Amino acid sequence: MSGGLLVAGTTSDAGKSVLTAGICRWLHRRGVKVAPFKAQNMSNNSAVVVGPDGRGGEIGRAQAMQAAACGLAPDLRFNPVLLKPGSDLASQVVLLGEAVDTITAGTFRQLRPRLAETAYAALAELRAAYDVVICEGAGSPAEINLRAGDYVNMGLARHAGLPTIVVGDIDRGGVFASMFGTVALLDPDDQALVAGFVINKFRGDLGLLQPGLDMLRQVTGRPTYGVLPWALDLWLDAEDSLAYGRVLGRPAGPRGDEWLDVAVVRLPRISNATDVEALATEPGVRVRLTVEPAELAAADLVVLPGSKSTVADLAWLRETGLADAVLAHAGAGRPLLGVCGGFQMLGRAIHDPVESRRGSVPGLGLLPIEVTFDPRKTVRQSAGTAWDGVPVHGYEIHHGYVSSADPDLTPLLAYADGTGEGAVTGGVYGTHWHGAFESDAFRRRFLTEVARQAGRAGFRVAPDTSFAAARERSLDLLGDLVEEHLDTDALWRLIESGPPADLPFIPPGAPTA
């Protein structure tokens, strides 16, 4: 068979990514050869994939997670178009893993036909290679101002003949109005592909919700395939940092008699915020994202994460008083970590004729390095060691390079060939490697050092925490939720046979294109 399904949503962060992953895991368990797909993603959370030519390329982090749900290695075709916002007006375009351009809303229209052609070709290849492809939409299909050039929501569904389900987040309120309105704003041909709904993040008595589900079916002629309950344990591999609450996950109690408090600065253009998720899987480690200088003062470890706009976010740190709080934290001898863009901010100077084009700007001066931006973009998976041979792996995505460093600088990591990477000065740590803390032994050693430097003698790392196992438990939970709370027989018929032929039109509908 060559089945397919589009998971659309009433809004961004309605639950499309997790529902897509859950359906993928459910099908994978049934022995179906299934793959994920998102024609276009807009996110600064990306994963590195090794392409057919051996070079590293980028796809959205959510599609890498969905690939794992399918039991697959990530593939560049799973997310052929990735837009990485560098400001409110411009985004870097990553096409089949490679950065090809920087666009604004105006220039995007000129590039869009090429992007759509690439996305359609990638989907056709996947449908030829897999039994089922579960596609994720973007934003909402009812963004009627964008419909004419759409190739990720109903434009994709129309092109590929995909039945579509719409997921809505009931925790935000107004879910019935948003579901009805989503269908009612589509033109007749688009409406004919929308087969029904899924409600996400429900808390309470399902019996109280049932009258609304019945009425929604009456007014739309479409069923609700199920109601997914709120699940506190679903927080790994967030599509975007905005999906995070203030505290990541549900931190387990400490193995020793003290907690370790980690404050992560939520930069305006934060990139790959998922780096700190591995820290949050450790018992006794409380990880929170913050924009409050006072919260840095109380933290044991402060983290400056990656940034898509390093120089602009460094200026924001200074404007908000957070830079002074970072300097005070480090000046008190307490641990500080910079990852990628955050690492670059810790140096003496940043020379940037590429990303911000602001030339040379002073860094925070906490590490004896200077960073220069280059049009060449490093995108690769990396592996090596730290300290006395502790294994570590990660991935790199950056335009900035250490162009000058103190000759006596101590590197944080070492590549397999022995070349040093990153820097350590006292309690200040920096690295370009994302994902390093997913390496269990490295994470434990790092947290042990941090606890010592922070004066948390009572903190103990757990000897058995496995980040990979935590991720698998999360994916299995998604599969369990789909199997237990959705009408999987009806979903399978939809995937296998397409949308019912008698779906009614809901006025007013958009004008037919």
Side-chain angles (χ1 to χ4, degrees):
M1 64 175 295
S2 182
L5 178 72
L6 175 66
V7 178
T10 56
T11 63
S12 294
D13 198 31
K16 297 184 293 293
S17 295
V18 294
L19 178 56
T20 298
I23 293 172
C24 285
R25 179 51 64 107
W26 160 62
L27 290 170
H28 176 60
R29 286 172 172 174
R30 291 185 54 162
V32 176
K33 189 179 180 183
V34 58
F37 179 79
K38 185 161 184 170
Q40 174 189 294
N41 202 343
M42 178 174 277
S43 176
N44 280 329
N45 280 351
S46 60
V48 172
V49 178
V50 177
D53 58 1
R55 292 187 300 174
E58 296 178 74
I59 65 171
R61 180 89 178 194
Q63 281 61 66
M65 178 265 289
Q66 292 159 359
C70 299
L72 300 172
D75 187 312
L76 295 176
R77 296 173 299 178
F78 294 165
N79 177 208
V81 181
L82 175 63
L83 304 182
K84 304 188 74 173
S87 70
D88 291 340
L89 300 175
S91 293
Q92 184 181 66
V93 179
V94 178
L95 188 62
L96 285 175
E98 183 179 355
V100 297
D101 205 349
T102 297
I103 53 145
T104 63
T107 56
F108 179 67
R109 296 187 186 95
Q110 301 166 14
L111 189 60
R112 190 163 51 199
R114 177 187 172 192
L115 303 182
E117 181 182 357
T118 302
Y120 292 156
L123 177 59
E125 289 182 12
L126 293 175
R127 297 191 77 180
Y130 293 90
D131 298 332
V132 174
V133 179
I134 304 299
C135 305
E136 178 188 341
S140 163
E143 292 164 349
I144 52 180
N145 55 312
L146 304 176
R147 177 60 184 90
D150 170 54
Y151 61 90
V152 63
N153 288 306
M154 300 315 298
L156 180 74
R158 186 93 69 89
H159 174 84
L162 296 172
T164 301
I165 58 175
V166 176
V167 58
D169 180 355
I170 197 170
D171 196 58
R172 296 182 175 191
V175 71
F176 293 119
S178 60
M179 286 178 161
F180 177 86
T182 295
V183 179
L185 283 174
L186 302 178
D187 72 29
D189 289 337
D190 286 350
Q191 286 195 23
L193 296 172
V194 178
F197 311 99
V198 171
I199 287 180
N200 190 31
K201 295 184 182 178
F202 179 70
R203 293 186 273 193
D205 182 353
L206 190 57
L208 297 176
L209 188 66
Q210 192 60 49
L213 302 179
D214 295 340
M215 186 175 296
L216 183 65
R217 181 159 194 163
Q218 291 172 13
V219 297
T220 66
R222 292 158 171 85
T224 296
Y225 288 96
V227 178
L228 297 174
W230 180 279
L232 288 173
D233 291 328
L234 295 177
W235 57 276
L236 290 177
D237 294 302
E239 171 81 342
D240 193 279
S241 65
L242 294 178
Y244 290 130
R246 282 179 49 79
V247 177
L248 297 191
R250 290 193 296 165
R255 295 295 176 92
D257 55 16
E258 283 192 284
W259 285 78
L260 198 66
D261 189 61
V262 180
V264 182
V265 178
R266 192 193 287 266
L267 301 168
R269 295 297 170 188
I270 191 170
S271 177
N272 286 70
T274 47
D275 285 327
V276 296
E277 290 181 343
L279 300 180
T281 62
E282 285 288 345
V285 179
R286 180 178 182 267
V287 180
R288 54 199 164 89
L289 276 76
T290 183
V291 294
E292 298 297 332
E295 293 194 356
L296 303 193
D300 298 310
L301 169 67
V302 169
V303 180
L304 290 179
S307 169
K308 187 64 186 69
S309 299
T310 302
V311 170
D313 278 356
L314 176 57
W316 175 84
L317 280 179
R318 290 187 163 114
E319 292 165 2
T320 57
L322 283 162
D324 290 336
V326 168
L327 292 170
H329 179 91
R334 309 185 84 178
L336 171 66
L337 168 68
V339 180
C340 200
F343 169 41
Q344 295 164 3
M345 295 178 194
L346 296 178
R348 292 169 175 162
I350 300 173
H351 311 289
D352 181 14
V354 176
E355 193 175 77
S356 69
R357 300 181 183 178
R358 297 189 187 180
S360 297
V361 298
L364 295 175
L366 295 172
L367 288 175
I369 64 169
E370 294 188 11
V371 171
T372 300
F373 276 64
D374 190 282
R376 295 175 300 119
K377 187 177 187 181
T378 292
V379 181
R380 65 187 177 195
Q381 295 179 346
S382 303
T385 58
W387 286 293
D388 48 358
V390 176
V392 58
H393 63 268
Y395 59 97
E396 298 176 61
I397 306 171
H398 54 92
H399 281 285
Y401 301 84
V402 175
S403 54
S404 174
D406 188 309
D408 297 323
L409 179 69
T410 301
L412 175 61
L413 306 169
Y415 291 99
D417 65 2
T419 305
E421 196 285 327
V424 181
T425 298
V428 180
Y429 302 83
T431 178
H432 273 125
W433 288 21
H434 295 289
F437 296 108
E438 295 177 20
S439 300
D440 297 330
F442 172 71
R443 181 181 65 253
R444 292 172 192 142
R445 177 64 180 271
F446 176 78
L447 289 174
T448 298
E449 291 293 321
V450 162
R452 180 184 62 80
Q453 292 168 334
R456 296 295 184 187
F459 174 80
R460 298 288 183 273
V461 294
D464 54 355
T465 303
S466 167
F467 182 78
R471 176 173 283 152
E472 275 299 301
R473 286 194 298 271
S474 181
L475 294 173
D476 280 335
L477 175 57
L478 286 171
D480 292 343
L481 291 173
V482 167
E483 289 185 13
E484 294 171 14
H485 298 281
L486 300 191
D487 185 346
T488 53
D489 289 341
L491 273 182
W492 179 250
R493 290 192 298 271
L494 195 62
I495 291 168
E496 191 175 38
S497 305
D502 58 350
L503 292 170
F505 171 71
I506 309 302
T512 303

